[in-house]
Amino acid sequence: MCALKREEIQNGIYFNTISDERFKSNKLVVHFVLPLKEDTAAVNALIPNLLRKGCRRFADFTAFNRHLDGLYGAVVGSDVEKFGDYQVISISIVGIDDQYTLSGEPVMAELSEILSELILDPVLENGAFLPREVEIEKKTLIDTILAELNDKRTYALSTATRLMCKGEPYGLSPYGTVDEVKALTPEKVYEAYQNLLKTARIEMMFVGCGDAEIPKKILSQKFSALDRAVLPLASLTAHPVPEKEESVTERMDVSQSKMVLGFASGLSAGDEAIPAMRVMTVIFGGTPMSKLFLNVREKMSLCYYCAARLDRTKGIVKVDCGVENENIEKAKSEILHQLAEMKEGVISDEEISNAVMSLVNSYKTIYDAPGAVEGFYLGQILTGETSSPDEEAQKLSAVTKEDIVNAAKLLQLDLSYVLTGKEEK
Amino acid sequence: MVKKEIIRNEKLKEQYYSFEHESGLKILLYPMKGYSSSYALFGTKLGSIDTVFKTGEDTEYTTVPEGVAHFLEHKLFESEDGDAFTLFAKTGASANAFTSFEKTCYLFSATDRFEESLKSLLTFVQSPYFTQQTVEKEQGIIGQEIRMYEDNPGWRVFFNLLGALYLENPVRIDIAGTVESIAKIDAELLYKCYHTFYNLNNMVLAVAGNFDVDSAVKVIEENLKPSKKVEVDQKIANEPEEIRASRTVQALSVSIPLFSIGFKEQVREGQELLKYQIASELLLEVLFGEGSTLYRKMYDEGLINQTFGYEVFAGRGYFSNILEGESEHPDEVFRLVQEEISKAKAQGIDEESFERCKKSFYGRLVRGFNNVETVANGLVTSYFAGVDIYDNIKTVEKMDLSFVQSVLESSLQADKAALSIIEPVK
């Protein structure tokens, strides 16, 4: 069930198939994987926003959307993400499978054609994207960058990442900055687009119940015309463990303070200690049975949420919580106390088996949603792994208490970030 | 079990089982072949809007503080022997709960040892344990949850809109209540609400995904406690047709203003509600979807961005059509939306747009059956609304242009419209 079939169809272009007859739909994604860099982040981020809106066959965005409605509400998506030090630019299309249409008419071949045309046959004028379209999408991208502030929990987490990883690609926003977006021209964007087609690693993913040979044939044929000179991607590297902790407080008009504690471990994806670090993070703050939930929330009644999460690509563990200003120090000292206890081995066998079972449950649940399956395997591919969710789950059973204590011992406080109100209460 | 039925849908090639237990509990079991996980929901028809009610034995209505349903949800996880999460941790299942406007649901998702988790779910929801001390502890935690939402512009813009549209219906109050209202809650009040609403006659159990129907039925029969049938009279607020205000503005730390535009519509229920809901969805898609002329105009002029969307927000005692998004010029968006509606009312909807949006809507519904969580939630939502999970698809297939046209004529009225804005702090 849901095994990955991976083949290189051309220089640096891979077609990944995950066939699963349980689903009623097909999802097709083309990911461009590039190094995340300050001077190209913004321009690359603009590209999928332009491409998603049409192609020469459907030059008009409204006519294009109407065509998609006619294909049973097929959805075109565009995405820009940061995965470790990589920037991943994606265009996707999702639709129901041929067997579920009202009169059995086929749609999958057309979805595959559309996706390849969106990417390879955009509307151009004088050898560049349409200036008006570029201006519209620049504004949309600027809105996306600015809107990060609207959700204070997300804002606090990404600000903490920026501060912790200053000078590293991972400290950059995958969207670039407002000023970088403002400076873009149709020519610069077109140049970056051509560079993307020529040099990026391309990962195509198919997840669904339909016949994968249809999209594979169409995409292979269309992409074969590309002149490729692939730039190899550097392997993902860990965030370095700092000498000392940094503290940053930001003031804003908010009613609840947000605190993020960032810890460095020196691990990176693929490291042998990653499964132990996963279990450690879950025991620390990953479930309603975790140390942070039971103590900071249930016992001390300080927070509604207080959770820990691991970014395996950088070996960073972040703890975040929403708390009253006057309780910030109390919460921080309890979080650090819980970690210190874990380093000393205060972990029960029951906590370990609960955490492992909870992770196994999450891995097995991945199989049940096309989006989750797709995201899981892309992550595996980018970290150079091919194991299935089941195989990842199996790795956890080998984790011992000693491994978990050792993982906890790797964690060093790197940053304390607090977002708080303007006036002292 | 007193009644067993198999409900099929030929188009989807799917079916599920519906049981009725002697206690009045409805049990909906939807096995999905080949899936790894199972998702179970145990829900009661008690939501944030149920602040005034009485049972068959009462003569007078009882009014309870806002946020009681949500508070009760938090507290039910605690039993005399400890936390309900402990029960699920032993099997790796992931448990949770939520309170919405009209219901409270307790749930788990499991890939292994399903029967044990199902037993845990049934046990803890049927074992209330509230003390003054644990209630006070929860006031601190929920207080922080409320504070978190105070800073959430997406949440605020929506509730400010509901506050502008509704004068009486508690739908306009935050689901968690307020710091002041939850301060009035004590253990005795929680028991009163529990014994009123958490009787099996007022509840539903739905399971979707990977499980065996016969063993599920066995676990359920063994673990249901005797429950007296309580008839609950949930008073629906006497809501006037008029709105309270046509514009509301709040300043928060945001970088781009958020807006929410709402139209207050006539309240409906059951199959009729479903039919009007679907007609309204189609109408909003025709007028404001990504394939509409207005969407294109507003997007190209930079008045809206990709966050723009619509929602039909309807249930017991409320019905409104809502448009939301981010914009530097929300008043201009509001003006253009109203202009488009007047134009459509005068000219009508064309057949092509209607058929296109119908196909698109149908496709989205079919895709929902990919997902165990969506199916389990769909079973509960449709049961409490007095319909069946397949009724959505059937209603879309049968929907015709003339009905949508008649809905357009009677809804989206200018004097029932309100605009809510969250603007940046100056």
Side-chain angles (χ1 to χ4, degrees), chain A residues 24 66 69 146 152 301 368, chain B residues 14 37 255 291 356 370:
Chain A
K24 295 186 165 49
R66 292 180 178 174
D69 283 336
L146 292 175
K152 301 296 175 292
S301 202
D368 288 352
Chain B
E14 299 214 350
S37 62
S255 43
R356 166 174 63 78
N370 263 350

Side-chain angles (χ1 to χ4, degrees), chain B residues 47-49 100-103 158-159 162 171 173 175 313 318:
Chain B
S48 66
I49 63 170
S100 67
F101 293 105
E102 296 182 74
K103 60 180 184 283
F158 182 65
F159 277 94
L162 295 178
V171 75
I173 309 290
I175 287 172
F313 175 71
Y318 59 94

Side-chain angles (χ1 to χ4, degrees), chain B residues 200-269:
Chain B
L200 296 172
N201 193 37
N202 196 46
M203 300 180 75
V204 63
L205 178 72
V207 189
N210 171 31
F211 67 98
D212 175 65
V213 172
D214 293 337
S215 23
V217 169
K218 189 164 171 273
V219 174
I220 295 165
E221 285 190 320
E222 284 170 3
N223 290 283
L224 289 178
K225 293 186 179 169
S227 164
K228 199 171 84 176
K229 272 193 192 177
V230 180
E231 296 294 339
V232 195
D233 174 359
Q234 287 152 296
K235 191 172 179 189
I236 293 180
N238 197 1
E239 180 68 37
E241 277 184 27
E242 301 78 56
I243 59 171
R244 190 183 59 79
S246 58
R247 194 170 187 276
T248 160
V249 183
Q250 185 188 352
L252 281 176
S253 291
V254 294
S255 43
I256 312 173
L258 281 82
F259 69 87
S260 199
I261 295 169
F263 295 85
K264 188 172 179 177
E265 310 293 356
Q266 200 188 320
V267 172
R268 301 178 192 274
E269 53 186 49

